[in-house]
Amino acid sequence: MASSSPLKIGILNIMHDKVDTKKRFDYVLTRAQMPVELKYFYPKDHYQDRPVPPEVSAMAAPLELEEVAKLDAFIVTGAPIEKIAFSEVTYMAELHELFAFLEAKQICQLYVCFGAMAAANYFYGIEKHLLAQKLFGIYPQVIVNDSPLLAGLTPGFLAPHARYAELSLAQIKQTPELRLLATTAKDELFAMESRDGLQAYLFSHLEYEGDALLKEYQRELAAYPDQAQTLARPQNYFAQPASMQGPLFKWQEAQQAFFANWLQLVARHVRVSVTNK
């Protein structure tokens, strides 16, 4: 890849709010002062019994491995299905085919939230369990191991979390192929990486914009109005917590650093791959 050539990055968008998700990744990946070309995909098996919605087909292509082979890196987003067993996800077999292909082709990978859970389970057998209550809000992070992915981030950097499930920390620590990078003060996962540098696992929704946690809470409130008193509210997020007013974008610095660092790693991998050919 010539220095002026854009990095070709594929994104499997499996989030519920696909339009907003595309805007978020467009923003975080194009502001890093590195030329990129983004191509969005959707899992075909997700729509095997129904038409693909026009808003999905307008922004994304069906997942075809021949197209993935042309890319320098690939991202699998989160999805609000972490309560569901992996075996019950309708497109899990398609995800497994993608994971195996990315590994075989030595394409750089970034897995986010549920995508990270599914990939870590596939590659390393790391088990998922439900949390007693949703991890939801903005929390300071503890750096466990230094990594180029965390360059520019200082201990206590802030990051948003929004999930009902977690991977086994004990299993991760016992997996020699993985390096834990950062957690919350209560050992909830922020990020880890494979020791060969090809796989990055981000459990925080660091791609979220400032009002995304509020949107997520409002979506859940609309879906489960009878649970209004028990639904988790985003913590450490509002300027006026009692009234849930004034959401604050506290993780902007971490967002910018992490995605810029990941793109640098992708570019380095591409340069080495070209040199070795």
Side-chain angles (χ1 to χ4, degrees):
M1 184 188 73
S3 59
S4 59
S5 299
L7 295 173
K8 297 179 175 61
I9 300 174
I11 302 173
L12 185 67
N13 185 354
I14 52 176
M15 282 290 277
H16 59 286
D17 53 350
K18 290 179 172 50
V19 173
D20 278 352
T21 296
K22 181 180 183 300
K23 290 178 181 177
R24 291 165 188 155
F25 279 101
D26 284 349
Y27 176 74
V28 298
L29 294 172
T30 59
R31 72 189 299 259
Q33 298 182 341
M34 183 176 294
V36 295
E37 287 182 5
L38 306 180
K39 184 175 179 62
Y40 288 84
F41 298 90
Y42 62 84
K44 293 178 290 185
D45 286 352
H46 189 49
Y47 302 104
Q48 53 187 320
D49 298 321
R50 57 193 173 103
V52 179
E55 63 271 20
V56 173
S57 59
M59 73 176 84
L63 182 62
E64 300 289 355
L65 297 183
E66 309 87 69
E67 295 300 314
V68 175
K70 303 173 185 177
L71 303 172
D72 299 312
F74 203 92
I75 297 171
V76 178
T77 73
I81 55 175
E82 67 269 31
K83 292 183 181 180
I84 302 174
F86 291 129
S87 60
E88 296 178 7
V89 177
T90 57
Y91 50 88
M92 187 55 67
E94 192 172 5
L95 281 182
H96 286 177
E97 290 179 4
L98 172 65
F99 296 158
F101 187 83
L102 293 169
E103 185 68 8
K105 295 295 183 180
Q106 295 288 281
I107 294 171
C108 288
Q109 303 142 56
L110 172 60
Y111 299 110
V112 182
C113 204
F114 174 78
M117 296 180 195
N121 178 262
Y122 172 80
F123 287 115
Y124 309 107
I126 309 296
E127 295 176 359
K128 172 171 66 77
H129 62 270
L130 292 180
L131 295 168
Q133 61 182 29
K134 184 179 185 179
L135 178 64
F136 198 26
I138 314 306
Y139 305 94
Q141 309 299 303
V142 177
I143 295 176
V144 179
N145 286 297
D146 290 331
S147 166
L149 278 172
L150 303 183
L153 296 177
T154 55
F157 69 89
L158 297 175
H161 292 263
R163 62 182 181 272
Y164 286 95
E166 185 74 303
L167 291 185
S168 169
L169 182 60
Q171 281 187 287
I172 290 169
K173 290 181 175 180
Q174 293 167 5
T175 303
E177 298 90 346
L178 292 173
R179 181 189 293 112
L180 183 65
L181 300 183
T183 68
T184 69
K186 294 183 178 181
D187 284 338
E188 294 125 347
L189 297 168
F190 170 76
M192 64 185 187
E193 64 185 0
S194 61
R195 291 188 182 273
D196 64 8
L198 277 179
Q199 299 171 352
Y201 295 82
L202 178 64
F203 297 92
S204 162
H205 275 291
L206 207 54
E207 81 281 5
Y208 273 6
E209 77 279 14
D211 63 349
L213 292 182
L214 176 59
K215 288 181 179 179
E216 182 164 330
Y217 175 73
Q218 291 172 334
R219 174 181 64 83
E220 292 193 337
L221 193 62
Y224 309 104
D226 57 324
Q227 301 178 27
Q229 300 304 313
T230 58
L231 278 176
R233 297 185 178 190
Q235 302 297 303
N236 311 313
Y237 177 54
F238 296 104
Q240 302 173 48
S243 60
M244 297 184 64
Q245 297 296 313
L248 300 174
F249 195 176
K250 299 178 180 180
W251 60 96
Q252 198 164 12
E253 180 180 345
Q255 179 189 83
Q256 183 173 358
F258 182 90
F259 286 102
N261 291 340
W262 182 69
L263 289 174
Q264 289 287 348
L265 290 174
V266 173
R268 189 179 311 161
H269 176 73
V270 172
R271 287 196 297 270
V272 170
S273 298
V274 171
T275 301
N276 291 338
K277 285 184 178 179

